[in-house]
Amino acid sequence: MEKYKKESLDELAERNLKRADSICLKIIVAAMTGIAWACVIMGHIHNFDTAVIGWAIVLCILALAVIRTILFFLFDSTGL
């Protein structure tokens, strides 16, 4: 019986996924830095609760997943 090799991702899709990931990494670093600074500033005047900080982080991760999907779709459809 012959063994078949599993299909791997094509090279263009793999490259597009890496490009989308690198852009998303820059976005999440900027967003988390902004959230951290806001927590530091607002934490000193007791305006932020830990629940607000948690929701900000969760919403950033959710937005990042959507942005990654959109970027990959755009890169893949244009063939960049």
Side-chain angles (χ1 to χ4, degrees):
M1 190 153 211
E2 228 175 281
K3 292 185 178 181
Y4 293 101
K5 188 177 181 181
K6 285 187 173 182
E7 288 186 31
S8 64
L9 296 173
D10 62 348
E11 292 176 16
L12 181 62
E14 196 171 314
R15 190 175 65 208
N16 287 338
L17 190 58
K18 286 182 182 179
R19 285 177 59 201
D21 285 344
S22 69
I23 292 170
C24 287
L25 177 65
K26 294 170 187 166
I27 291 171
I28 198 70
V29 166
M32 290 298 144
T33 304
I35 290 173
W37 276 102
C39 292
V40 168
I41 292 169
M42 295 297 187
H44 286 295
I45 55 176
H46 303 291
N47 278 349
F48 268 3
D49 190 11
T50 55
V52 174
I53 298 167
W55 276 108
I57 292 171
V58 168
L59 290 176
C60 278
I61 293 171
L62 179 66
L64 186 71
V66 172
I67 291 170
R68 181 180 184 237
T69 303
I70 291 170
L71 283 174
F72 177 73
F73 175 74
L74 289 175
F75 291 156
D76 201 43
S77 65
T78 58
L80 293 175

